[in-house]
Amino acid sequence: MRDLEALLLLAKDTARLSYKKLAKLQKKNTVQYKYSKLISREMKADVDFIIEDEIIRHLTPTGLAILSEESGEISGNSDSDSELRFIVDPIDGTVNFIRGICSSGISIALFDKDRPLFGVIIVYPSGDMAWGGKEIGAYINDVSMQVSEINDVSKSVLCTGIPSRFNLDNNDNIINLNNLLVKFGKVRMLGSASISLLQVAKGSAEFYTEQDIMLWDIAAGLAIVEGAGGEISMLPGNYKYSLNVFASNSIVGHNLIST
C-alpha cells in the first residue's frame, strides 16, 4: 500500500498550486466559456481544462490511475496499487466561478476502488483549504472540523442542487425532491457539490443530497464528511459515473429515514 500521508501532502500541494494558477487566470480576465453540446445545462470554461492539466501534471508521476471530469479515465502504471485512483474536479462549480456567484472548489480525492480514503478541497476565492478522511479526521486551515449534533430534521439545514443531468421533465423526480425539501427547516443551493458537502463537515448544515451528481463533484467532499464524523451513502445513478448521494451528520440521516 502506498504512503497515504505522502499522497495527501501531494494532493494538498497540487491544490495550492492550482488555486494560484486559477487566481492568476481570473485576474487576467481570460475566462471564456460555452455550453456543452451533449448536456444542454452544463457550462464549460477554458480554465477547467487549464487547471485540470495542472493537476494531472502533478499527480501523474505517482503512477496511480486518475479519473478527471474533463479527461475521463487515465490509466495508471502501478500494478501493486491497481485499486487506488485519484478523482479530480478542477473546478467544481464552474458557473459560480464564471459568473462570480458564491464559491467554487478545486477538488482532489483518493479512492480505494469505491471507498474514499481522503479528499482535499480548496475553496475559491477565499483560499480556505479543507481535507480529511475516515481514518484521519477532517480539517479546514489546520482547524479540526466536526459535524453538527442537531437531531431535529425540521430544524436542520439541507444543502442540495439540481445537477445538469437531473431530469426536470420527470414528474416523479420533482415530487420526490419537493417531499424532501419540506422536511427541513432551511434549504440552500450553493451551486457546488464539494462546497455543499463541506458545509456538512463544518457543522453548518446537517444533510446533503443530489441525484445524478457526478463522482468527481462529490469524491473529496464525501471523504471529508466521513472524517468529520458524518455518514455517507452512494447509489448508482442513471449515467456513467453519476450517483445518487446522501451525506449527513448521521443523526439527521437516521431520523429522516424513520419519518
Side-chain angles (χ1 to χ4, degrees), residues 239-258:
Y239 308 91
K240 187 177 183 180
Y241 301 126
S242 81
L243 297 166
N244 299 331
V245 175
F246 307 88
S248 79
N249 67 350
S250 76
I251 310 168
V252 165
H254 292 162
N255 291 347
L256 186 63
I257 291 170
S258 65

Side-chain angles (χ1 to χ4, degrees), residues 2-16:
R2 292 294 187 91
D3 183 345
L4 292 184
E5 186 175 346
L7 293 173
L8 174 59
L9 180 60
L10 172 63
K12 290 163 70 175
D13 288 343
T14 299
R16 288 190 189 98

Side-chain angles (χ1 to χ4, degrees), residues 156-196:
S156 296
V157 175
L158 165 69
C159 285
T160 188
I162 301 177
S164 300
R165 293 167 181 80
F166 184 81
N167 187 356
L168 289 166
D169 294 324
N170 185 316
N171 287 336
D172 287 340
N173 284 349
I174 303 302
I175 291 170
N176 291 336
L177 179 60
N178 182 71
N179 288 341
L180 177 67
L181 299 184
V182 298
K183 295 179 184 291
F184 286 85
K186 290 292 182 180
V187 178
R188 293 293 179 265
M189 293 189 180
L190 304 180
S192 167
S194 62
I195 302 300
S196 296

Side-chain angles (χ1 to χ4, degrees), residues 4 8 108-112 114-120 130-139 144-147 201 218-234 248 250 254:
L4 292 184
L8 174 59
I108 302 172
L110 182 70
F111 270 46
D112 182 2
D114 297 323
R115 181 170 64 96
L117 298 179
F118 67 69
V120 176
W131 69 93
K134 193 169 185 177
E135 304 300 325
I136 60 175
Y139 306 86
S144 179
M145 291 189 292
Q146 290 289 326
V147 295
I218 46 86
L222 291 177
I224 294 171
V225 167
E226 281 199 310
E231 289 188 345
I232 64 171
S233 172
M234 296 176 282
S248 79
S250 76
H254 292 162

